Amino acid sequence: MDGIADRSFSRLNAEDIESISILKDASAAIYGARAANGVILVTTKRGKEGKTTLSYSGRVGFSQPARVLEMLNSYQYMTYINEYQTGHGLETTFKENQINWAQNGENPYQYPSTNWWDTVSKNWATQTEHSVSANGGNDKISFYTSAQYMWQDAIYKKAAQDYGQYQLTSNIDAKVGKYIKIGLDTQGRQEKRTRGVFGTNYLFDFLMKCKPIYGAYSPDGQYPLVGMEYASTNPAVMVTKDPGETKYTYNYLNLKPTLRVDMDFITKGLYFEGYAAMDFMFRNGKTINHPYDVYEYASSGQEQAGIWGGDMRIGVIKPVQSVLTNGLTILPV
């Protein structure tokens, strides 16, 4: 980027780009063995002599997964489990009335049918970007400067994750005397990354393996115990800030001072030019884990009487355990 090898342009403001060139084969040979697969040259905008101009660009976008697996509902899950067990000479797990309840939705807290992806995720995740720039100069000095703000939300409801970026770019060129030109390119960027304590890969794996026969919420809005074989938690709380969060701030500063000395007094077109590239990165962050409670539904035994939904005291929610995300478990006293 601007002649500096290995300087990343992955987070570069698109409005700052003047041109992109791709070199292959012989044209890339001047870059040596590192150019065996080609070279991408990115040149940023510089100031132009003339009246100062201001420009603004803004974007709002929406993203979603290209494809999400369609999972079984509770009725299908119970039916297939029973069919498998019957075919292998085993006692079936689910009774007929339980399967009917799951199919008809008549007992939504004891026999729910949960689509976990739809429960914890939104249809779209929002992202927005805004940039303003100024360009101008005269025969002595020219400048290009821009400022950018970008924010991206996560796909989860009540998400702990988001990403924010602030970026400032300044390219200044000045003529000092008859033969000397100097320049200073400055790019500063701050990234604010907020994440939950559960990684994305782990969350997706958990969501795909979580059975539909477990509910996401209790009648009073608490988090029921999912009761999976290898974990005692609930995806509906895992995607939020309740278990804790990780916050990191990354600060980047890239500098490129340049010096050019024209030597036409020796021979026309002769000049000396040199530059220095200095890249700095500072990072700070913290991770905070919060204990959180999950609950287990305690049936009253009166569901078959058809009395459901009017008086939630028929079924009570009792605390099962308090989970710490560092692996410790505190049992209730």
Side-chain angles (χ1 to χ4, degrees):
M1 186 176 78
D2 287 334
I4 309 300
D6 296 329
R7 179 173 282 184
S8 174
F9 54 87
S10 61
R11 297 289 180 181
L12 182 65
N13 182 2
E15 299 298 324
D16 293 342
I17 297 176
E18 178 73 28
S19 64
I20 299 178
S21 303
I22 300 177
L23 305 182
K24 290 282 290 182
D25 304 325
S27 60
I30 59 174
Y31 294 96
R34 301 172 67 185
N37 295 319
V39 177
I40 300 176
L41 303 179
V42 178
T43 303
T44 59
K45 295 178 180 178
R46 309 202 69 82
K48 298 178 181 179
E49 184 176 344
K51 187 177 179 179
T52 300
T53 59
L54 299 175
S55 64
Y56 163 82
S57 67
R59 302 181 183 88
V60 176
F62 305 92
S63 62
Q64 66 175 181
R67 180 172 178 263
V68 178
L69 295 177
E70 184 177 350
M71 310 302 288
L72 299 177
N73 59 35
S74 287
Y75 170 74
Q76 295 168 327
Y77 177 82
M78 291 178 174
T79 300
Y80 293 151
I81 290 294
N82 278 5
E83 288 180 357
Y84 174 85
Q85 292 171 335
T86 300
H88 289 76
L90 303 173
E91 182 180 356
T92 57
T93 300
F94 302 104
K95 297 180 175 59
E96 184 176 353
N97 65 327
Q98 294 174 326
I99 296 177
N100 291 335
W101 275 341
Q103 183 180 20
N104 300 327
E106 297 175 354
N107 197 336
Y109 294 109
Q110 192 173 8
Y111 298 101
S113 183
T114 304
N115 183 318
W116 284 103
W117 178 256
D118 289 347
T119 298
V120 305
S121 67
K122 300 175 289 190
N123 292 329
W124 301 92
T126 306
Q127 57 186 28
T128 183
E129 180 182 352
H130 303 275
S131 178
V132 61
S133 64
N135 190 326
N138 52 41
D139 59 342
K140 297 296 183 181
I141 186 170
S142 61
F143 68 92
Y144 171 84
T145 184
S146 71
Q148 179 207 39
Y149 166 74
M150 182 170 63
W151 177 81
Q152 185 172 7
D153 194 11
I155 194 70
Y156 304 118
K157 299 174 182 176
K158 303 178 183 179
Q161 298 95 328
D162 70 356
Y163 173 83
Q165 175 178 296
Y166 306 86
Q167 188 162 218
L168 178 65
T169 299
S170 174
N171 294 339
I172 300 175
D173 299 297
K175 188 174 182 180
V176 182
K178 185 177 180 180
Y179 301 106
I180 299 176
K181 296 178 181 178
I182 60 174
L184 178 62
D185 297 355
T186 305
Q187 183 190 67
R189 184 175 74 254
Q190 182 181 81
E191 301 176 7
K192 290 183 174 292
R193 302 171 181 261
T194 303
R195 297 288 184 270
V197 294
F198 296 100
T200 300
N201 292 339
Y202 181 79
L203 285 174
F204 268 82
D205 180 69
F206 202 95
L207 286 169
M208 294 299 103
K209 292 180 179 178
C210 201
K211 300 174 184 177
I213 59 175
Y214 300 124
Y217 304 100
S218 67
D220 59 353
Q222 302 292 342
Y223 298 108
L225 173 67
V226 167
M228 294 180 65
E229 290 81 355
Y230 62 93
S232 296
T233 184
N234 184 320
V237 68
M238 292 168 64
V239 299
T240 70
K241 296 181 180 180
D242 290 353
E245 59 183 347
T246 297
K247 290 187 175 182
Y248 278 104
T249 299
Y250 294 81
N251 296 292
Y252 297 89
L253 178 62
N254 299 332
L255 301 174
K256 181 189 174 185
T258 61
L259 172 66
R260 172 171 170 153
V261 180
D262 292 324
M263 299 181 179
D264 290 342
F265 55 86
I266 297 178
T267 183
K268 187 174 180 59
L270 179 65
Y271 67 89
F272 165 82
E273 185 175 74
Y275 66 81
M278 295 167 283
D279 297 348
F280 304 92
M281 191 274 281
F282 311 91
R283 183 184 73 173
N284 63 80
K286 62 182 178 180
T287 298
I288 300 177
N289 293 334
H290 302 150
Y292 63 99
D293 295 323
V294 291
Y295 295 80
E296 185 176 46
Y297 178 77
S299 173
S300 65
Q302 301 182 52
E303 288 82 5
Q304 291 185 357
I307 306 173
W308 189 266
D311 187 357
M312 290 303 178
R313 290 175 297 177
I314 291 176
V316 297
I317 303 297
K318 64 179 182 179
V320 173
Q321 58 186 350
S322 180
V323 180
L324 288 175
T325 53
N326 60 9
L328 299 179
T329 300
I330 301 177
L331 297 177
V333 179

